[in-house]
Amino acid sequence: MASRDQEVTLLSAWPSVFTMRVKLALVLKGIEHEDLPQDLGNKSKILLESNPVHKKVPVLIHKGKPILESAIIVHYIDEVWPETSPLLPQDAFLRAQHRFWSDFIDKKLFDSLMRFLRSNGDAAVNEEFNQNCLLLEGALAELGSEEEGPFFGGASMSFLDVLLAPYAVWIPGVEQVMGLKPAKCPRFHKLLAAAAEHPSAKVALPQVEKLKEFIRVRYASK
């Protein structure tokens, strides 16, 4: 197991895309940690004190200090525990590209998927989500090596693969419950399929069936 003055605690909520990616980074790197699930309807003292600005999960607490925002947390994990499963590329240009696309994933892909859920399956929002997937398909063709493997990192998961892995359960969940019609993006869907089968993802991500029940209760019943 990786070690760096452990004392690592994750404040989490299991259905959260953002919690899943932090959990995956911890598992990938073999970092022992305590998982403290949070009731977001009745926020705990530790959550409010650790994240007083946004009051949301995930929060990583390392040696008593909170780190906030999932992409920043995954970056932090990679910097503090660089020896095992390095995530960000060594090349400065490629690191910049990973940061650009991480911002796109959170501001475009996630936003359009959530708006599709809240719109109860609006076709125009479905198309917007698909356009975002197609842009990621292009990024994968540019930055990844299909000969080496299905991920942005080739055969192994990189920073972007960790950020995208939760969609391996969320996209089929939304498709099966809310009727999302995903675009034909062969490489993007190959990445998600490989992420779903990754041993660390099997630990860090929930089963699609469990997530489907959450989606039914949270969105389909409204």
Side-chain angles (χ1 to χ4, degrees):
M1 286 292 203
S3 174
R4 188 61 54 85
D5 296 323
Q6 295 296 14
E7 302 175 29
V8 177
T9 301
L10 175 62
L11 308 186
S12 64
W14 72 264
S16 163
V17 165
F18 305 107
T19 289
M20 290 180 205
R21 56 174 54 159
V22 174
K23 181 78 174 176
L24 177 55
L26 291 169
V27 175
L28 265 174
K29 287 178 172 284
I31 300 167
E32 293 180 359
H33 61 281
E34 181 183 9
D35 197 339
L36 288 182
Q38 300 295 298
D39 177 359
L40 300 182
N42 183 24
K43 296 179 181 179
S44 67
K45 181 179 179 182
I46 189 172
L47 175 59
L48 295 175
E49 288 179 348
S50 300
N51 192 355
V53 175
H54 296 301
K55 305 177 179 64
K56 63 183 182 181
V57 296
V59 176
L60 188 78
I61 302 173
H62 182 213
K63 295 189 287 185
K65 297 178 180 179
I67 301 94
L68 313 175
E69 299 296 320
S70 63
I72 294 171
I73 297 170
V74 174
H75 194 168
Y76 175 87
I77 289 168
D78 198 41
E79 287 189 324
V80 176
W81 291 276
E83 303 89 356
T84 308
S85 299
L87 299 175
L88 278 160
Q90 291 299 306
D91 180 80
F93 174 77
L94 287 177
R95 284 202 306 275
Q97 292 299 301
H98 274 241
R99 292 189 182 107
F100 171 84
W101 286 106
S102 73
D103 188 65
F104 175 88
I105 290 163
D106 288 351
K107 291 181 178 174
K108 295 292 187 179
L109 188 72
F110 177 77
D111 177 70
S112 58
L113 186 62
M114 290 302 105
R115 285 193 292 108
F116 178 82
L117 284 165
R118 291 193 293 269
S119 72
N120 200 28
D122 183 85
V125 184
N126 192 145
E127 178 58 25
E128 183 182 336
F129 175 77
N130 285 345
Q131 289 302 314
N132 291 329
C133 292
L134 287 165
L135 287 169
L136 282 166
E137 178 87 352
L140 186 54
E142 182 180 346
L143 301 176
S145 171
E146 195 167 13
E147 293 75 23
E148 293 179 12
F151 299 117
F152 275 95
S156 59
M157 280 193 166
S158 69
F159 181 71
L160 285 179
D161 301 306
V162 168
L163 299 195
L164 284 169
Y167 294 94
V169 291
W170 263 97
I171 289 176
V174 177
E175 180 182 7
Q176 293 171 41
V177 176
M178 303 295 291
L180 179 73
K181 295 178 176 60
K184 289 181 171 62
C185 303
R187 288 198 61 183
F188 180 56
H189 290 298
K190 187 177 180 180
L191 182 157
L192 295 181
E197 293 302 315
H198 194 285
S200 295
K202 287 181 178 292
V203 175
L205 306 185
Q207 294 290 317
V208 173
E209 288 302 318
K210 182 179 182 183
L211 187 60
K212 282 166 59 178
E213 185 55 34
F214 170 81
I215 294 168
R216 283 190 193 98
V217 172
R218 181 71 179 270
Y219 297 102
S221 59
K222 293 182 179 179

